């Protein structure tokens, strides 16, 4: 299960979105305007941050990055700043020394930034609307692309939300070079016993599609795609022979790669079998 603070931030974003919208896409600029927050674009040459939250004399403003020329990322960045504005304690903590500079996108370990990321995901993709849309699409990258378009969010944010809400056994991985930046597992996949969760900073499996893809920088910069069967045990560190499919897409000037790992089908008898093995291992011997 997700950490409570993550879930709380997501729900707060959802509640704010549904105050103003009954259907997708959610427009974070409109919501900001209703809160009397001025929203402005940063010039394309302003790089290194995703956005800023500013306050002067009780008046708030949001500035967002445009250097990636990605409307979905820009929406997520605005929603992220709305998170800093809305989450209790954030304005007082983050604005005490002047404007707050953000780096949205789940890449940091900073709790305030991650809270704002989860808030943004809830704001742009409320669960009631998102769950209904998931059922209209096939699984994997194709579903993530469709959800990203529907909710006008970044591809990575849509993929993470997909992992959080999908009933399938899937994992979403963002990587750069030969290192893993972060990984989200669906609840179904988390139930598989004995798996090792891929962690930030760990090396990508050498035989994976993603490792081969990232070996050529132009694959990432040119938003190329690749897919193939993959090894469940290589990714999750356990001796399981599940059929795993790996789909990869480069994220262009963002410099990272998005991977969706899909398990074809988890055996229904898996839990019962493991419980039987556990009981057998504890049966006393009377030889």
């Amino acid at each position: 299960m997700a950490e409570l603070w993550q879930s709380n931030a997501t729900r707060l974003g959802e509640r704010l979105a549904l105050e103003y919208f009954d259907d997708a896409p959610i427009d974070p600029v409109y919501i900001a305007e209703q809160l009397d927050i001025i929203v402005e674009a940063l010039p394309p040459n302003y790089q290194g941050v995703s956005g800023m939250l500013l306050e002067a004399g009780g008046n708030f403003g949001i500035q967002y990055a445009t250097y990636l020329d990605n409307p979905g990322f820009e929406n997520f960045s605005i929603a992220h700043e709305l998170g800093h504005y809305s989450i209790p304690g954030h304005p007082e903590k983050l604005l005490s020394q002047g404007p707050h500079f953000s780096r949205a996108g789940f890449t940091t370990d900073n709790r305030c930034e991650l809270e704002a990321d989860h808030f943004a995901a809830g704001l742009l993709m409320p669960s009631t609307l998102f769950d209904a849309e998931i059922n209209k699409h096939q699984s994997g990258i194709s579903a993530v692309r469709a959800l990203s378009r529907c909710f006008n969010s970044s591809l990575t944010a849509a993929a993470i939300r997909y992992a959080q809400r999908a009933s399938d056994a899937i994992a979403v991985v963002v990587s750069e070079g030969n290192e893993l930046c972060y990984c989200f597992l669906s609840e179904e996949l988390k139930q598989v016993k004995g798996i090792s969760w891929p962690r930030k900073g760990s090396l990508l499996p050498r035989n994976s599609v993603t490792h081969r893809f990232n070996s050529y920088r132009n694959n990432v910069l040119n938003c190329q795609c690749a897919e193939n069967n993959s090894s469940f045990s290589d990714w999750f560190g356990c001796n399981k022979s599940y059929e795993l499919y790996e789909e990869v897409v480069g994220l262009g000037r963002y410099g990272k790669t998005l991977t969706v790992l899909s398990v074809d089908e988890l055996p229904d008898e898996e839990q019962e079998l493991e419980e039987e093995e556990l009981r057998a291992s504890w049966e006393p011997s009377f030889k």
Side-chain angles (χ1 to χ4, degrees):
M1 296 295 290
E3 295 284 352
L4 182 59
W5 59 267
Q6 296 175 3
S7 300
N8 288 341
T10 302
R11 284 195 292 269
L12 186 61
E14 291 179 332
R15 286 198 295 270
L16 182 59
L18 296 176
E19 285 183 24
Y20 297 100
F21 291 90
D22 297 321
D23 204 354
I26 309 298
D27 183 356
V29 175
Y30 176 83
I31 293 176
E33 290 172 347
Q34 303 313 301
L35 299 172
D36 294 323
I37 301 172
I38 298 172
V39 179
E40 294 179 345
L42 289 165
N45 62 349
Y46 198 103
Q47 302 184 20
V49 299
S50 61
M52 288 187 283
L53 180 67
L54 310 93
E55 186 270 335
N59 298 311
F60 287 84
I62 288 173
Q63 293 184 302
Y64 62 94
T66 60
Y67 67 93
L68 291 178
D69 191 25
N70 184 322
F73 178 79
E74 292 167 11
N75 271 348
F76 190 85
S77 298
I78 297 166
H80 177 99
E81 300 309 326
L82 280 172
H84 286 318
Y85 171 85
S86 302
I87 297 171
H90 277 219
E92 296 82 2
K93 180 177 182 178
L94 301 178
L95 296 174
S96 60
Q97 303 298 320
H100 172 70
F101 299 85
S102 292
R103 290 171 176 80
F106 297 93
T107 57
T108 178
D109 292 325
N110 181 281
R111 175 161 167 171
C112 282
E113 297 305 313
L114 286 174
E115 279 184 320
D117 282 337
H118 285 283
F119 175 97
L123 182 86
L124 295 179
M125 296 166 282
S127 57
T128 53
L129 304 180
F130 197 81
D131 292 353
E133 192 65 25
I134 283 179
N135 297 329
K136 300 178 184 178
H137 305 286
Q138 295 181 343
S139 61
I141 285 287
S142 63
V144 171
R145 289 187 186 278
L147 293 164
S148 173
R149 290 192 297 269
C150 177
F151 290 90
N152 203 7
S153 183
S154 67
L155 201 63
T156 51
I160 291 167
R161 199 70 171 125
Y162 174 59
Q164 291 174 332
R165 304 300 306 179
S167 59
D168 300 327
I170 62 134
V172 167
V173 174
V174 171
S175 61
E176 185 171 9
N178 65 350
E179 286 192 1
L180 189 145
C181 299
Y182 56 83
C183 175
F184 282 79
L185 273 62
S186 69
E187 290 299 324
E188 179 74 6
L189 187 54
K190 290 178 185 177
Q191 301 309 310
V192 177
K193 296 185 182 301
I195 66 171
S196 176
W197 195 321
R199 300 294 179 180
K200 178 179 179 179
S202 61
L203 296 179
L204 295 169
R206 290 192 60 83
N207 293 324
S208 66
V209 179
T210 306
H211 185 277
R212 294 193 296 272
F213 183 92
N214 285 2
S215 298
Y216 299 92
R217 181 67 174 167
N218 283 341
N219 285 340
V220 180
L221 297 177
N222 296 330
C223 302
Q224 297 297 310
C225 303
E227 57 185 86
N228 210 332
N229 295 322
S230 193
S231 167
F232 188 93
S233 59
D234 282 354
W235 276 102
F236 299 107
C238 61
N239 187 23
K240 306 283 187 183
S241 58
Y242 301 150
E243 293 184 13
L244 184 70
Y245 201 69
E246 184 175 349
E247 298 174 280
V248 186
V249 59
L251 297 175
R253 282 184 286 174
Y254 188 47
K256 295 178 172 57
T257 296
L258 173 67
T259 300
V260 176
L261 303 168
S262 304
V263 180
D264 183 42
E265 186 176 359
L266 291 177
D268 293 335
E269 71 276 11
E270 176 67 18
Q271 185 173 355
E272 291 183 9
L273 178 60
E274 293 190 349
E275 288 176 351
E276 289 175 2
E277 291 175 346
L278 182 61
R279 286 195 297 269
S281 69
W282 284 95
E283 288 179 358
S285 173
F286 296 102
K287 292 182 180 179

